[in-house]
């Protein structure tokens, strides 16, 4: 891979990781549609770590409070401050961790086709649209999470293991369907991404170690920086536009993309 391909793919990862359009789908599709060589596992690790750095930096103050309250809740054996949210992030990650370990080989071998990506993009794009409409028609929405919310969102997040579903997309869909506000849904979805991205990068790193792969460190560093910067700017942009516009443009984009892929 050359510098141009690294920059394009890292930008795709950084921009699409936190938008409800599926980063994994785009990283699968672009090399296949352009005949570029597969970017390799090492590249996947560094761009995931770049997006991880972006979301951790954006939520650094909240994360610091969550970690402190989480520790105090263990010591004092009772809820402290934002400890419930911290426990929610931890528990909400369990389903995707279990399903990822159980079906990792099946997903990598049988679910990375353009056809699967196309149908997943269409179906879950439409579901996001339905969730947006239902949530908009509610007289009131909740700003707080219940344990049932955590379980529902956590289980739904496991579906994002299928390329094209979108991790942020499915967690946002679940949050809106169960009556959370857009703000609460987005925050929980983004906080959930931290342990998920960490686990994903760890599993890929294990594969790299077992396969004894080598890579160009300069190109990897470039991919890391590009993905981190683009992911941070995307988070800032996405959260700001939620106050002024609907998420329907992302639904339309997914439906058009899915139809295009089926035609191809």
């Amino acid at each position: 891979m050359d510098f141009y391909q690294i920059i394009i793919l890292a930008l795709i990862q950084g921009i699409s990781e936190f938008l409800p359009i599926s980063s994994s789908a785009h990283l699968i599709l672009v090399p296949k549609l352009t005949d570029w060589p597969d970017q390799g596992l090492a590249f996947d690790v560094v761009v995931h770590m770049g997006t991880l750095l972006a979301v951790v930096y954006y939520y650094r103050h909240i994360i610091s409070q969550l970690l402190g309250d989480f520790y105090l809740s263990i010591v004092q054996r009772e809820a402290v401050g934002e400890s419930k949210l911290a426990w929610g992030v931890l528990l909400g990650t369990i389903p995707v961790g279990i399903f990822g370990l159980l079906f990792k080989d099946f997903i990598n071998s049988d679910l990375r086709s353009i056809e699967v990506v196309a149908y997943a993009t269409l179906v879950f794009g439409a579901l996001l649209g339905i969730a947006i409409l239902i949530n908009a028609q509610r007289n009131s929405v909740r700003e707080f999470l219940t344990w049932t919310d955590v379980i529902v969102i956590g289980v739904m997040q496991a579906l994002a293991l299928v390329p094209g579903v979108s991790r942020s997309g499915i967690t946002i869909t679940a949050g809106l369907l169960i009556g959370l506000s857009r703000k609460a849904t987005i925050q929980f979805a983004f906080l959930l991404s931290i342990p998920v991205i960490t686990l994903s990068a760890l599993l890929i790193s294990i594969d790299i170690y077992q396969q004894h792969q080598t890579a160009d460190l300069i190109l990897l560093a470039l991919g890391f920086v590009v993905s981190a910067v683009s992911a941070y700017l995307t988070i800032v942009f996405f959260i700001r536009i939620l106050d002024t516009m609907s998420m329907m443009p992302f639904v339309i984009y997914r439906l058009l993309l899915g139809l295009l892929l089926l035609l191809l």
Side-chain angles (χ1 to χ4, degrees):
M1 294 178 66
D2 57 27
F3 279 86
Y4 172 75
Q5 294 170 353
I6 287 288
I7 291 174
I8 294 299
L9 292 175
L11 277 173
I12 291 173
Q13 168 66 25
I15 293 172
S16 60
E17 176 65 38
F18 298 106
L19 297 181
I21 57 175
S22 180
S23 61
S24 61
H26 287 76
L27 288 177
I28 291 173
L29 293 174
V30 172
K32 287 190 175 183
L33 296 178
T34 58
D35 290 327
W36 287 354
D38 185 88
Q39 58 267 27
L41 295 177
F43 176 83
D44 287 346
V45 169
V46 297
V47 294
H48 275 81
M49 295 307 294
T51 55
L52 176 63
L53 175 64
V55 69
V56 168
Y57 181 75
Y58 184 86
Y59 284 111
R60 61 192 182 280
H61 300 302
I62 295 177
I63 293 172
S64 176
Q65 182 180 359
L66 290 178
L67 291 175
D69 292 344
F70 179 76
Y71 171 76
L72 290 175
S73 72
I74 296 175
V75 174
Q76 300 179 15
R77 298 183 180 181
E78 62 180 4
V80 178
E82 295 294 329
S83 62
K84 184 177 180 180
L85 178 57
W87 280 103
V89 171
L90 178 62
L91 297 177
T93 306
I94 293 176
V96 70
I98 293 174
F99 281 95
L101 291 173
L102 291 177
F103 300 106
K104 175 175 173 287
D105 293 336
F106 170 73
I107 292 169
N108 289 334
S109 61
D110 297 320
L111 297 183
R112 294 177 69 85
S113 68
I114 290 182
E115 186 176 19
V116 169
V117 171
Y119 282 114
T121 300
L122 282 171
V123 171
F124 289 96
L127 185 60
L128 174 60
I130 293 171
I132 292 171
L133 293 176
I134 291 175
N135 191 266
Q137 293 175 359
R138 285 194 170 99
N139 294 325
S140 62
V141 291
R142 289 181 287 112
E143 298 291 341
F144 60 89
L145 282 162
T146 67
W147 294 119
T148 301
D149 296 337
V150 170
I151 294 172
V152 171
I153 295 175
V155 172
M156 292 286 280
Q157 180 179 232
L159 294 175
L161 293 168
V162 178
V165 172
S166 170
R167 192 210 60 80
S168 61
I170 195 63
T171 50
I172 291 171
T173 298
L176 295 178
L177 284 175
I178 59 182
L180 291 175
S181 69
R182 290 199 299 175
K183 180 180 178 181
T185 297
I186 296 297
Q187 178 176 282
F188 189 56
F190 282 11
L191 290 175
L192 271 178
S193 73
I194 296 173
V196 172
I197 295 175
T198 302
L199 289 173
S200 176
L202 179 60
L203 289 175
I204 299 173
S205 299
I206 294 173
D207 287 340
I208 293 174
Y209 175 77
Q210 293 175 341
Q211 298 175 19
H212 304 288
Q213 292 189 9
T214 58
D216 188 319
L217 294 181
I218 295 179
L219 290 179
L220 292 182
L222 175 64
F224 175 83
V225 172
V226 172
S227 65
V229 173
S230 59
Y232 180 78
L233 294 177
T234 300
I235 295 172
V236 173
F237 167 78
F238 186 45
I239 291 178
R240 286 182 179 177
I241 66 170
L242 288 179
D243 294 330
T244 58
M245 66 174 285
S246 167
M247 287 188 286
M248 274 301 180
F250 299 111
V251 174
I252 296 172
Y253 171 80
R254 290 188 61 140
L255 296 179
L256 292 176
L257 176 61
L259 290 174
L260 177 62
L261 292 175
L262 288 180
L263 291 175
L264 291 175

